[in-house]
Amino acid sequence: MVGYACNENDARVPQEFYLARDLCQYIYDRHPYDGKTQITLNESGQIDTIVASFQDINSGALKELVLDWYACHARALPWRARSAPYAIWVAEIMQQQTRVETVIPYYRRWMERFPRLEALASADQQEVLQLWEGLGYYGRARNLHKAARVVMERFGGRLPQSRQELES
């Protein structure tokens, strides 16, 4: 059976806990396994660890189960609707040490003001920092701005596609 190291009535329990729990239950319902799943939270109420024993499931079957679950339960997030590497890069930087729910409005405003790498690279740093205001960790905004300028200068506005390009 699937077990959890959390009281479901605990107000500190984040949505991510329930998603992780539901995924483990989804897998168990379709492929019962011997072992147990344990999800623990840290002092802030965020997921600390997920330990699941899936020794009876081959990796291909587990991959399919996870992808099936994701197709049914994935949250609608603005960056998932975009395939442009720049848009995804911005989302990844914004989400570092920041909750997804916090990032969403900042991401939307950012992409409205800087829809393409060229717009970010040509912006004044003060404008970049002003748009980032309230998101915290301002070094991320400064580094993103600086990197956008480097990409424009060294790669003609195209994000590097290979490890070699990234390391150059």
Side-chain angles (χ1 to χ4, degrees):
M1 191 56 168
V2 180
Y4 308 99
C6 175
N7 176 352
E8 292 199 28
N9 296 322
D10 188 339
R12 299 178 316 139
V13 177
Q15 179 182 6
E16 289 82 3
F17 169 82
Y18 295 110
L19 291 173
R21 179 202 60 192
D22 292 348
L23 170 60
C24 293
Q25 190 66 53
Y26 182 88
I27 293 169
Y28 182 82
D29 290 347
R30 282 150 187 80
H31 194 309
Y33 53 90
D34 294 330
K36 74 179 203 182
T37 301
Q38 180 174 337
I39 304 170
T40 57
L41 305 176
N42 63 23
E43 292 174 4
S44 302
Q46 297 176 334
I47 291 179
D48 188 38
T49 57
I50 300 174
V51 178
S53 174
F54 299 114
Q55 68 261 16
D56 297 334
I57 305 175
N58 70 48
S59 61
L62 181 58
K63 173 185 166 188
E64 290 303 314
L65 287 168
V66 171
L67 290 174
D68 288 347
W69 178 88
Y70 177 80
C72 294
H73 296 89
R75 291 186 284 176
L77 299 170
W79 45 87
R80 288 187 178 155
R82 297 171 176 260
S83 60
Y86 165 71
I88 295 166
W89 180 39
V90 169
E92 290 291 332
I93 299 300
M94 286 185 167
Q95 290 177 82
Q96 293 172 359
Q97 299 182 11
T98 306
R99 294 186 58 82
V100 170
E101 294 79 17
T102 302
V103 168
I104 292 171
Y106 286 91
Y107 177 82
R108 286 188 173 128
R109 285 191 299 269
W110 185 276
M111 294 309 292
E112 191 174 299
R113 172 58 189 95
F114 306 122
R116 297 190 349 257
L117 187 83
E118 298 84 358
L120 174 58
S122 64
D124 178 66
Q125 186 179 52
Q126 197 58 36
E127 181 184 10
V128 169
L129 293 173
Q130 185 176 13
L131 199 58
W132 196 275
E133 193 171 310
L135 198 53
Y137 301 99
Y138 291 90
R140 294 181 295 174
R142 284 189 289 274
N143 289 334
L144 186 59
H145 185 228
K146 186 189 307 182
R149 289 182 170 180
V150 168
V151 170
M152 289 303 297
E153 292 170 16
R154 293 180 54 197
F155 300 102
R158 185 179 68 55
L159 286 170
Q161 300 292 306
S162 68
R163 182 177 178 171
Q164 292 78 19
E165 283 182 306
L166 281 171
E167 292 174 344
S168 69

